[in-house]
Amino acid sequence: MLWLKSFHIVMVVSWFAGLFYLPRIFVNLAMETHDAAYDRLLLMARKLYRFVSPIMWLTLITGIWLWLAYFPLSMNWMWAKLILVAGLVGYHHVCKSLLRAFEARQNVKSHIWFRWFNEIPVIVLLAVVLLVVLKPF
C-alpha cells in the first residue's frame, strides 16, 4: 500500500502543477495581442491540458483505492476532502471550456479575472492538506 500511496502523491502533485500552470497560461493568452505568440501559448495550453487530464484520472483512481483500503466511510474530514476534490474536477473541466473559448478566439474575460481564477487551486490545496494532516472532525 505504500507504493500506491506514493504513486497517489506523485499524481496529486503532477495534477496540481497543471492546475497551477494552465490558468497562468490563460493570463498570458488574455493579454496577448500578437498572433504568433497567441498561437504558441494556445499550443502550450492544449498540450498541458491533454497531459494533465489522464493524471487527474490516475489521481482519482488511486485516491479512491486508498480511501476504500484505509478509511471508514464515517470519517467526516474525508467527506469534506471529497467535496473539495469534486470541486477540483469541476475546476479542471472549467479550464477545458476556457481553453475552448481561447481556441475559438472568443475569450471575454480579462487577465485580472484569470489571475484570481488561478488562485482557486492554491486555496483548495491548502484546505485538503489541512484536512488530511489534522483530521479535524
Side-chain angles (χ1 to χ4, degrees), residues 60-73:
L60 296 174
I61 290 166
T62 56
I64 291 168
W65 191 352
L66 285 166
W67 179 34
L68 296 174
Y70 279 110
F71 302 107
L73 298 177

Side-chain angles (χ1 to χ4, degrees), residues 93-106:
H93 285 82
V94 168
C95 285
K96 183 178 184 178
S97 67
L98 293 168
L99 177 58
R100 286 184 178 158
F102 279 114
E103 289 173 331
R105 297 189 185 257
Q106 295 177 342

Side-chain angles (χ1 to χ4, degrees), residues 106-136:
Q106 295 177 342
N107 173 56
V108 294
K109 297 177 182 349
S110 72
H111 68 94
I112 295 169
W113 186 90
F114 284 106
R115 288 177 197 277
W116 284 103
F117 180 74
N118 192 36
E119 300 305 320
I120 293 171
V122 175
I123 295 164
V124 174
L125 177 60
L126 175 63
V128 167
V129 168
L130 291 174
L131 284 169
V132 170
V133 173
L134 300 176
K135 298 174 180 54

Side-chain angles (χ1 to χ4, degrees), residues 43-62:
L43 179 64
M44 290 170 58
R46 280 187 196 122
K47 287 184 175 187
L48 181 60
Y49 188 83
R50 274 184 292 200
F51 179 75
V52 298
S53 291
I55 291 172
M56 174 193 69
W57 287 109
L58 289 170
T59 300
L60 296 174
I61 290 166
T62 56

